[in-house]
Amino acid sequence: MFSRLLLTESDTAHLGAELAALARPGDVIALAGDLGAGKSVMARGFIRALAGQDIDVPSPTFTLLQTYETPDAVVWHFDLYRLEDPEEIWELGVEDAFDEGISLFEWPGKGGSAIPADRLTVSLTIRADDSREASLSGGPSWADRLKGLSGHG
């Protein structure tokens, strides 16, 4: 488990970029938190870092899924907020995402058991002063990689 205080939106995007440097094809990253906690901001930082440019990264709230070709892998950015049944996740081609790319899930709880247990979970909490706290916990494949984050102790 690793936690970091995020004072600004830029800090949130920067943590996303740091995670992108540690990610590899086949990874699943679950971004959890209330509305406005910074899930899309973190995903945007992650995707832009992998793409190597300041590309447009809209929240996939209405489309449920956006994909991004990057030099290292295809990033599958899911927003499960509007799913009414966890089984609907299979209609989004999630198996291909797990096989071929890096998967980012906003609102992972809505995906039920389809979201693999061996994942990185980033829980974003809004604090009283409007800053954010990111708590990261990872399955076995993430344990050593998280040691590479700045400020990890």
Side-chain angles (χ1 to χ4, degrees):
M1 178 71 100
F2 168 73
S3 292
R4 181 183 292 172
L5 184 61
L6 306 169
L7 298 175
T8 65
E9 190 172 289
S10 179
D11 290 345
T12 304
H14 181 74
L15 179 56
E18 284 185 85
L19 293 174
L22 302 175
R24 51 188 181 227
D27 281 343
V28 175
I29 301 171
L31 303 174
D34 291 337
L35 277 173
K39 298 178 297 296
S40 293
V41 171
M42 182 163 291
R44 194 169 294 120
F46 183 98
I47 293 164
R48 286 178 175 165
L50 278 183
Q53 55 186 315
D54 190 18
I55 60 172
D56 185 36
V57 181
S59 174
T61 301
F62 295 103
T63 59
L64 302 180
L65 168 65
Q66 296 283 341
T67 58
Y68 301 89
E69 297 279 342
T70 73
D72 296 323
V74 176
V75 178
W76 296 63
H77 182 196
F78 296 88
D79 185 327
L80 306 181
Y81 183 75
R82 294 179 49 235
L83 286 190
E84 294 188 18
D85 181 336
E87 291 301 308
E88 293 173 343
I89 194 170
W90 302 109
E91 297 169 22
L92 300 175
V94 73
E95 305 98 326
D96 293 332
F98 295 153
D99 289 343
E100 301 170 4
I102 299 170
S103 304
L104 296 177
F105 287 95
E106 295 189 41
W107 301 99
K110 296 236 179 195
S113 62
I115 312 294
D118 185 14
R119 66 178 179 254
L120 174 65
T121 299
V122 180
S123 297
L124 295 163
T125 306
I126 304 171
R127 297 166 38 104
D129 63 359
D130 208 34
S131 66
R132 307 298 192 261
E133 183 169 357
S135 298
L136 290 76
S137 58
S141 70
W142 280 96
D144 286 336
R145 286 188 275 168
L146 287 178
K147 293 176 186 170
L149 285 178
S150 62
H152 185 272

